[in-house]
Amino acid sequence: MQIGPWKLSNNLVLAPMAGVTDRPFRQLCRALGAGLAVSEMVSSNALLWGSDKTRRRIDHTGEVAPVSVQIAGADPTLMAAAARFNVDNGAQIIDINMGCPAKKVCNVMAGSALLQDEPLVGRILDAVVNAVAVPVTLKIRTGWDPARRNGLAVAAIAESAGIQALSVHGRTRACGYRGEAEHDTTRAIKAAVSIPVIANGDITTPERAVEVLRHTGADAVMIGRAAQGRPWIFREISRYMETGERLPEPAPAEIGRILAGHLQNLYAFYGEYTGVRMARKHIAWYSKRQRDGNRFRSLINKIESATDQLATVSDYFSQLSERQELAA
Ligand SMILES: Cc1cc2nc3c(=O)[nH]c(=O)nc-3n(C[C@H](O)[C@H](O)[C@H](O)COP(=O)(O)O)c2cc1C
């Protein structure tokens, strides 16, 4: 897939997830086969730009191009300034969030709340596209609620504003995360616009990725929650799309190695105190389907030091590996 001047290595995209898709996780997903990884959103509120959180979110050291950074907000001038600020700090693609239903975001009329006001959508997109020389992409839900599924209208506004790719999460804002995502609206959008379209929502397996691509005709798929604790899902989908072959789940020894590398990058990125805490949810996701996972997670949540956390993780996955070898 092509986004402006950037030719992606494949059509698999890691979805932006606040609190999850920090630089260590994006780098890991890219290394395991994602063609693009969108950063967590950076607020358009300049008052927050000096915070530790924003400083970390604009740190792209060592990331493989293209670096895509998401911005959120509802004021065209502030959004344009946020786009310029991120481009000055290394963003090579700016992604606009009109897809996040979080209360914190919706109450200030950003994220998916914007979908209600089409003229404002147009003004924001124009302002951001005109503010930066890099490609601007947009992420939307299918509409505000099932009665006002205006995704098609928003897609047309996006195309005429010069948006270079559109991600569509197949739910309305009102649907939250309930029910199953529908991809019919994405299919209709793809048929109506000529910019690249990325289908998103409930893609959890290689088979589902291929089905959604076929059904929608989309140019790429975007994966969020299914990559939590399973960053190798990208190489699984990529192999399946190339060969029809289903890779086996990684063995515990390999999961242990991937997780240990992930943890070391979290400690280096956040420092020990925050790194150990950020790591807990990832460790919980990686161990979700594993034997004795509950006991392991309650142990992990009590550990405060990076050395102990890493050693406990290594022991756990070594034990799983030994058990598996004995059983074989
Ligand atoms: C923890 C979490 C945080 C999210 N944060 C954002 C965000 O900052 N910006 C955004 O556009 N979408 C955000 N999303 C929505 C995802 O990008 C994605 O659209 C949604 O999870 C559906 O895809 P999935 O079924 O593959 O998870 C978030 C989702 C989750 C679960």
Side-chain angles (χ1 to χ4, degrees):
M1 188 178 63
Q2 188 90 22
I3 301 182
W6 300 106
K7 172 132 185 59
L8 305 188
S9 56
N10 64 23
N11 55 358
L12 307 177
V13 182
L14 171 67
M17 288 181 283
V20 182
T21 55
D22 52 17
R23 195 187 76 197
F25 192 62
R26 293 197 297 277
Q27 287 178 305
L28 179 58
C29 290
R30 291 294 305 267
L32 288 171
L36 181 69
V38 184
S39 81
E40 306 170 271
M41 67 190 166
V42 174
S43 165
S44 63
N45 180 353
L47 294 175
L48 302 175
W49 292 350
S51 70
D52 275 354
K53 202 180 216 176
T54 299
R55 239 178 290 130
R56 277 195 295 262
R57 287 183 178 187
I58 60 173
D59 178 353
H60 305 294
T61 316
E63 277 195 79
V64 177
V67 170
S68 172
V69 176
Q70 189 179 67
I71 58 173
D75 179 293
T77 310
L78 297 181
M79 287 288 275
R84 276 193 295 267
F85 170 75
N86 280 288
V87 170
D88 291 345
N89 285 286
Q92 294 161 320
I93 295 174
I94 292 291
D95 186 53
I96 299 178
N97 177 3
M98 292 188 189
C100 184
K103 273 253 162 53
K104 200 162 109 185
V105 177
C106 274
N107 285 347
V108 292
M109 260 295 278
S112 49
L114 284 173
L115 295 174
Q116 290 181 112
D117 186 343
E118 291 175 15
L120 179 58
V121 167
R123 287 200 300 281
I124 291 173
L125 301 187
D126 286 340
V128 174
V129 168
N130 290 325
V132 290
V134 306
V136 180
T137 60
L138 173 66
K139 181 161 180 285
I140 61 170
R141 287 189 168 222
T142 54
W144 176 252
D145 60 31
R148 280 169 292 178
R149 224 187 275 276
N150 62 340
L152 259 174
V154 172
I157 295 168
E159 182 169 33
S160 65
I163 290 296
Q164 308 232 19
L166 179 67
S167 309
V168 185
H169 176 191
R171 287 190 176 85
T172 62
R173 186 266 164 198
C175 293
Y177 283 92
R178 287 185 305 279
E180 219 182 292
E182 58 89 13
H183 297 286
D184 293 342
T185 308
T186 311
R187 178 190 169 105
I189 289 174
K190 173 61 194 171
V193 297
S194 55
I195 54 176
V197 171
I198 304 167
N200 169 238
D202 294 346
I203 298 169
T204 53
T205 62
E207 290 81 357
R208 187 73 188 132
V210 168
E211 263 168 42
V212 170
L213 281 172
R214 279 208 192 111
H215 178 72
T216 56
D219 302 86
V221 283
M222 174 181 270
I223 290 145
R225 289 163 299 168
Q228 293 172 346
R230 295 181 66 223
W232 49 83
I233 190 171
F234 296 101
R235 81 178 174 203
E236 287 180 359
I237 299 177
S238 157
R239 175 71 70 90
Y240 184 76
M241 289 199 310
E242 277 163 24
T243 66
E245 183 197 352
R246 191 72 153 89
L247 284 175
E249 276 287 303
E254 190 187 5
I255 300 179
R257 272 196 305 276
I258 292 173
L259 176 51
H262 188 177
L263 295 181
Q264 273 153 342
N265 289 332
L266 287 170
Y267 307 146
F269 187 65
Y270 288 103
E272 180 168 12
Y273 182 86
T274 308
V276 164
R277 281 153 185 81
M278 287 301 292
R280 287 179 185 156
K281 66 183 162 206
H282 290 282
I283 297 171
W285 287 325
Y286 280 94
S287 62
K288 212 155 101 185
R289 287 160 222 82
Q290 306 293 345
R291 200 189 168 99
D292 254 355
N294 284 340
R295 192 191 50 81
F296 168 64
R297 284 185 290 277
S298 64
L299 182 63
I300 278 292
N301 289 337
K302 293 186 196 106
I303 293 175
E304 304 273 338
S305 92
T307 311
D308 290 351
Q309 192 181 56
L310 196 54
T312 307
V313 163
S314 297
D315 286 350
Y316 173 70
F317 282 95
S318 302
Q319 279 165 21
L320 288 179
S321 184
E322 278 163 25
R323 250 183 228 269
Q324 197 185 49
E325 276 162 25
L326 282 176

